[in-house]
Amino acid sequence: MTKILTIGEILVEIIATERGNGFRSATPLIGPFPSGAPAIFVDQVGKLGHPCAIISAVGDDDFGHVNLDRLTADGVDITGIAVDPDGTTGSAFVRYRQDGSRAFVFNIRHSACGRIEITDAAAQLIDEAGHLHVMGTSLYAPSVIDTVLCALHSIKKKGGTVSFDPNLRPEILNSPGMREALQTVIAETDIFLPSGEELFLFSEAKTEDAAIKELLGKGIKAIVLKQGAAGATYHDAESTVRLASIPVEEVDPTGAGDCFGATFVTFWLEGARPEEALRYANAAGALAVTKTGPMEGASTRAELQAFLQA
């Protein structure tokens, strides 16, 4: 099977248990939970039993080992994760506002994963991988951008494929070099996985249909538009598939899009029909929101099958 590689931030998430506007006053917290968009993505791939790896860095601290232990247990190749004895593992503090939106305080750029480089182990993973998944959140520092683009060009040159989830956060949108890197990535993308209005980030179109047509015309093979409670829609040059979301009791939506994307990409690479890949991705996204913590709702194939059958 094609080995799936991703590159970017690994961090812990600390969650406020009371809703409110940010962290200007003391509030109860729970965590640490293993997190980071590419880490959640690859953890879900690992739980599906598909070969996968991540290139990143953590500190030699408890937060780092929380992540290393989880990824290892779920079948992810962690040989590309550098452990910095002098660094600190990244973190994200999140608090939900009354309207359901989230306020974040990130420590990424100045953490261990603020500098990710191509070590010998990372270079070996790039050689082994046939697919690269890029998260927009991971284009937050020059060394990380360089590593992502080096892997992207290497994998595409040997006939591999690329999936791209913009997953952009306002807190990091102005990171040095990010906007230019986003344009480079979209030009090499095979599977585009935007959420809502992210569909229009790389298009001049004003309507959804026109944006889809424009992006497919640029060489993207498939677009999977994540629409939250409204479900998801798959588009390629020949077909469109729409699926409603699966009703569940939402506990914590963080990581749902990453689990959705990981499941779709995995099934797509394994040759599943778009309808099947989308169905399982929808199930993964639904199950992800039923647990507190970004990776806690990641699911095995057996769990997804049982959920869909029920």
Side-chain angles (χ1 to χ4, degrees):
M1 290 189 287
T2 300
K3 191 166 192 174
I4 298 173
L5 176 67
T6 191
I7 301 168
E9 69 275 19
I10 293 177
L11 45 92
V12 292
E13 188 161 302
I14 313 293
I15 303 171
T17 60
E18 296 177 354
R19 296 201 170 207
N21 295 317
F23 294 92
R24 297 295 181 95
S25 60
T27 185
L29 304 167
I30 56 172
F33 295 102
S35 188
I40 301 165
F41 174 95
V42 81
D43 187 75
Q44 176 62 80
V45 176
K47 291 204 76 167
L48 293 172
H50 193 101
C52 60
I54 182 170
I55 296 172
S56 188
V58 296
D60 189 11
D61 52 29
D62 286 349
F63 290 171
H65 289 285
V66 162
N67 279 282
L68 294 173
D69 292 347
R70 172 61 63 82
L71 293 171
T72 299
D74 289 343
V76 178
D77 183 340
I78 64 167
T79 56
I81 302 176
V83 179
D84 184 351
D86 301 315
T88 302
T89 301
S91 61
F93 287 77
V94 59
R95 189 175 191 185
Y96 287 85
R97 302 183 181 95
Q98 296 299 335
D99 64 2
S101 63
R102 293 169 290 177
F104 287 94
V105 175
F106 287 112
N107 170 32
I108 298 177
R109 227 177 297 170
H110 301 294
S111 71
C113 65
R115 187 167 185 81
I116 298 174
E117 298 178 330
I118 300 180
T119 62
D120 290 343
Q124 179 64 35
L125 291 177
I126 293 171
D127 287 341
E128 295 172 358
H131 182 87
L132 177 69
H133 181 72
V134 180
M135 286 283 188
T137 56
S138 299
L139 304 174
Y140 51 79
S143 71
V144 190
I145 290 172
D146 290 346
T147 302
V148 169
L149 296 185
C150 177
L152 182 148
H153 294 312
S154 176
I155 289 171
K156 290 290 286 191
K157 185 176 181 179
K158 62 185 179 183
T161 50
V162 172
S163 52
F164 175 40
D165 184 342
N167 195 26
L168 295 176
R169 298 276 185 263
E171 295 88 349
I172 62 172
L173 192 54
N174 291 319
S175 298
M178 174 177 274
R179 294 180 186 274
E180 294 81 3
L182 289 170
Q183 294 297 331
T184 301
V185 172
I186 195 67
E188 299 289 350
T189 293
D190 297 285
I191 310 173
F192 185 40
L193 296 148
S195 295
E197 294 300 309
E198 289 177 345
L199 175 67
F200 299 97
L201 286 172
F202 306 98
S203 169
E204 299 296 326
K206 303 301 181 185
T207 67
E208 182 177 311
D209 288 345
I212 295 292
K213 183 177 180 180
E214 180 183 339
L215 291 167
L216 291 174
K218 291 179 178 180
I220 294 173
K221 293 183 175 69
I223 298 171
V224 184
L225 180 60
K226 295 175 287 182
Q227 297 162 297
T233 307
Y234 168 92
H235 302 271
D236 63 24
E238 288 81 35
S239 64
T240 294
V241 179
R242 302 182 191 275
L243 279 186
S245 61
I246 302 172
V248 292
E249 182 178 350
E250 182 179 294
V251 175
D252 180 4
T254 302
D258 305 322
C259 290
F260 174 101
T263 304
F264 183 88
V265 168
T266 298
F267 276 74
W268 187 82
L269 286 171
E270 292 175 357
R273 293 176 295 105
E275 295 88 345
E276 181 184 13
L278 198 60
R279 183 167 171 259
Y280 275 89
N282 254 3
L287 282 175
V289 308
T290 63
K291 302 282 184 65
T292 298
M295 288 186 195
E296 308 312 303
S299 305
T300 64
R301 287 178 193 260
E303 289 167 339
L304 292 176
Q305 289 166 356
F307 178 63
L308 287 169
Q309 288 170 0

